Amino acid sequence: MPSIASASTHSAASEPVSAAFEPFVLPSGSVLPNRLVKAAMEENMAGPGQLPDEHLFRLYRRWSSGGAGLLITGNVMVHAAALTGPGGVVLDAASPLEPFREWARAAKSAGAKIWMQINHPGRQVLADMPGVAWAPSAIRVDLGRNSKRFAEPTEMTEAQIIETIERFTVTARRAEEAGFDGVEIHAAHGYLLSQFLSPLTNRRTDDWGGSLQNRARLLLEITRAVRAAVSPGFAVAVKLNSADFQRGGFDADDAAAVIAMLAPLGVDLVELSGGSYEAPAMTGQTGDVRSGAREAYFLSLAQELAATSPLPLMVTGGVVRLPVAEEVLADGIDLVGMGSALGMEPDLPNRWHRDREAQVVLPPVRFKDKAVGSAASMARVRQQLRRLGAGRHTRPSMSPRIALVKEMLLQQRALRRYRKWLADRPHVG
C-alpha cells in the first residue's frame, strides 16, 4: 500500500469544510464537484490499435472513486504519426469511438468529471519512432549527450499547420461525442504548441513566428476552432507554461499576455505548469528558485499571474498535503492539480475528508543527469499507474532505476506494435 503519513488522528467531522471541497462553476456553466483535480500524467498504456482498454478503464474507475472532482487524462494524440511515446492513445477521424465511450463512463462512474487532454508532440519525438517530427523551426531537442535520442525535426509548412488545427478540432469534437465533459489543449512542457510559443524554438519569419502574437497564433486558432466545434457547455481548457525555465524563452510576462489573448475565445480554465524536456521543471528537476519549493512548484509564478488573469487558473506540481492545497486556493488560484500524489495514492482526497494531515510520502529521485532523473521520476509514477490498471496496490518505494528499466522494456514492446499498426493503417487527414 502507499506510504501515507499522518500527523493527526482526529476526525474531520469537527473541522469546517475545506475550501478544497467546495464546488466550482466554470465559465461554460459546468460545475465541478470540488477544487481538486487529477492532473494529466502520460500513462503510455494504450492497448491494441492505440486505443484505451480495460487497464485504463480500471485505472480511471479507481481515480473516480478516490474523491477528486475532475480527472484529466494523459495526453491523447491528435496525429497518429506523431506520438510522444509508442504507448500513446490516438483519437482521430478513423478511431473507433466505443473504447473512448467506455473510458469516459469509467472515469465518471463515481461522480467525477472527465476531460481529455489533447496534444501533438512536435519535435519531442524519440529518434526510433516512426512517423513525423514536426516543429515550428528545424531545431532539435538539446539534451547534450542525450540529444541524439530525439528525432531531427523538420520545419512545418503552412499546409501542415492548417492540418494540425483541423486535427485538434476533430479530436475535440469526437471527445465530446464519446461522452467526455471537456478537453484540455496542451500548450506546455515543450510540446508542439509550446514550441510555437517559445522564441527559442520558433525562429519563423512568417505569420506564425516573430512577435508573441504571431507565436501564439497556432494556439489561438486551435482554441477558436475547438470552441466552435463543441457545444457551449463542453469545457475547453488550455495547459500553459508559466515559464520555460530557459534563458530567453517563454516567461511569466508572456504567459500573462497569452492568457489575455485566450480570454475572449471561450476558454474555461488555464492550467499553469512549466518546463520542457530540456528543463524538466514539471518533475521538480530545476534549479530555478521560483520553482524550488518542495510542494506547489509553480505557486509563486501562478500568484503573479492570478493577480491579472481574466480566466480561472489551476496550478499543478508537487502538492501532497491538504494545507498546501488550501494555500494554493487562498492565493487566488481556483483549482489544485495533483499528478504524482494521486498516481501513488488515488484515494488521497477521500483520506483528507477523514484526516486533513494525511499526505503521500514521495521518496526523492536524485540523478546527476536531470534528463535521466526526470525520465526515472516519470517511470516510477507510470509503474504505479500500471499497477492500479492491473487492479493491484501501488508501491511508492519502488526504485526509480528499476522502474526506468521496466518502462524501457515495455516501451520497446509497444514500439514494435506501434510500428506495425502505423504501417498497416490507412492514411488519415
Side-chain angles (χ1 to χ4, degrees):
M1 288 290 290
S3 176
I4 299 289
S6 179
S8 170
T9 58
H10 68 269
S11 169
S14 60
E15 298 284 347
V17 176
S18 169
F21 295 105
E22 295 176 353
F24 184 71
V25 182
L26 295 163
S28 63
S30 178
V31 180
L32 304 181
N34 59 51
R35 309 293 185 96
L36 301 175
V37 180
K38 194 290 292 181
M41 291 175 282
E42 184 179 38
E43 304 97 356
N44 247 304
M45 288 169 57
Q50 306 305 127
L51 297 169
D53 66 5
E54 65 273 6
H55 295 94
L56 277 173
F57 307 155
R58 190 178 294 116
L59 173 61
Y60 276 77
R61 277 194 294 269
R62 190 76 170 78
W63 272 324
S64 187
S65 66
L70 171 64
L71 312 179
I72 305 178
T73 72
N75 52 32
V76 171
M77 312 314 297
V78 304
H79 189 175
L83 272 60
T84 55
V89 172
V90 174
L91 176 57
D92 63 9
S95 303
L97 270 190
E98 186 51 39
F100 293 92
R101 291 191 178 102
E102 181 61 30
W103 195 6
R105 285 193 292 267
K108 296 198 281 189
S109 59
K113 298 286 186 178
I114 177 71
W115 292 356
M116 180 185 291
Q117 185 183 81
I118 57 178
N119 191 20
H120 192 297
R123 68 174 187 159
Q124 287 186 167
V125 174
L126 294 174
D128 59 359
M129 288 281 285
V132 301
W134 289 349
S137 304
I139 302 170
R140 195 182 207 168
V141 174
D142 183 6
L143 288 177
R145 61 180 179 170
N146 293 313
S147 299
K148 290 185 179 179
R149 293 179 55 232
F150 288 86
E152 193 73 55
T154 58
E155 181 171 313
M156 293 176 74
T157 65
E158 176 107 10
Q160 289 166 343
I161 291 172
I162 301 304
E163 288 171 11
T164 299
I165 296 170
E166 177 62 15
R167 286 191 173 97
F168 273 91
T169 306
V170 167
T171 300
R173 184 169 56 242
R174 302 204 78 207
E176 183 175 20
E177 291 174 14
F180 285 77
D181 300 300
V183 290
E184 180 182 64
I185 300 165
H186 201 335
H189 297 172
Y191 295 120
L192 181 66
L193 304 187
S194 181
Q195 292 159 34
F196 268 85
L197 287 169
S198 173
L200 298 178
T201 48
N202 185 346
R203 308 282 180 81
R204 300 177 75 97
T205 57
D206 60 6
D207 290 342
W208 304 95
S211 67
L212 178 59
Q213 183 72 43
N214 281 1
R215 286 184 277 119
R217 184 182 171 196
L218 180 56
L219 170 59
L220 300 177
E221 292 292 341
I222 287 170
T223 303
R224 188 176 290 111
V226 166
R227 180 76 273 174
V230 298
S231 64
F234 186 77
V236 176
V238 172
K239 187 165 188 171
L240 188 70
N241 274 358
S242 53
D244 287 347
F245 299 101
Q246 292 178 278
R247 189 181 300 276
F250 187 83
D251 60 22
D253 289 339
D254 293 331
V258 171
I259 291 170
M261 295 177 201
L262 290 168
L265 305 183
V267 171
D268 286 280
L269 177 78
V270 173
E271 178 186 357
L272 297 171
S273 189
S276 66
Y277 286 11
E278 293 175 332
M282 58 283 194
T283 61
Q285 305 283 327
T286 177
D288 192 292
V289 295
R290 295 167 301 172
S291 65
R294 187 170 61 86
E295 295 182 57
Y297 306 144
F298 308 112
L299 180 55
S300 63
L301 285 168
Q303 288 168 335
E304 298 171 21
L305 294 169
T308 59
S309 175
L311 293 172
L313 298 180
M314 166 178 154
V315 73
T316 298
V319 174
V320 298
R321 294 184 297 138
L322 179 58
V324 176
E326 291 170 334
E327 177 190 347
V328 171
L329 296 171
D331 285 332
I333 311 302
D334 300 286
L335 299 174
V336 180
M338 294 182 292
S340 298
L342 295 186
M344 299 291 182
E345 176 45 71
D347 291 322
L348 187 59
N350 284 341
R351 288 177 180 267
W352 282 345
H353 272 296
R354 300 191 297 272
D355 180 2
R356 61 177 285 108
E357 300 302 325
Q359 63 177 296
V360 177
V361 177
L362 301 175
V365 176
R366 294 190 176 95
F367 285 80
K368 288 184 178 180
D369 188 314
K370 286 184 179 179
V372 175
S374 176
S377 178
M378 290 189 287
R380 184 176 64 180
V381 174
R382 200 169 289 150
Q383 281 291 305
Q384 311 314 308
L385 307 188
R386 294 184 189 281
R387 293 179 65 86
L388 290 169
R392 302 164 69 189
H393 295 305
T394 58
R395 288 181 54 202
S397 61
M398 177 181 288
S399 161
R401 294 180 186 276
I402 292 174
L404 186 57
V405 170
K406 285 186 173 182
E407 277 300 306
M408 289 171 65
L409 293 173
L410 287 168
Q411 294 308 307
Q412 288 174 8
R413 185 188 311 164
L415 180 58
R416 291 192 293 271
R417 188 174 66 188
Y418 171 58
R419 281 194 181 121
K420 184 178 186 309
W421 174 80
L422 187 64
D424 293 345
R425 193 175 198 251
H427 177 72
V428 178

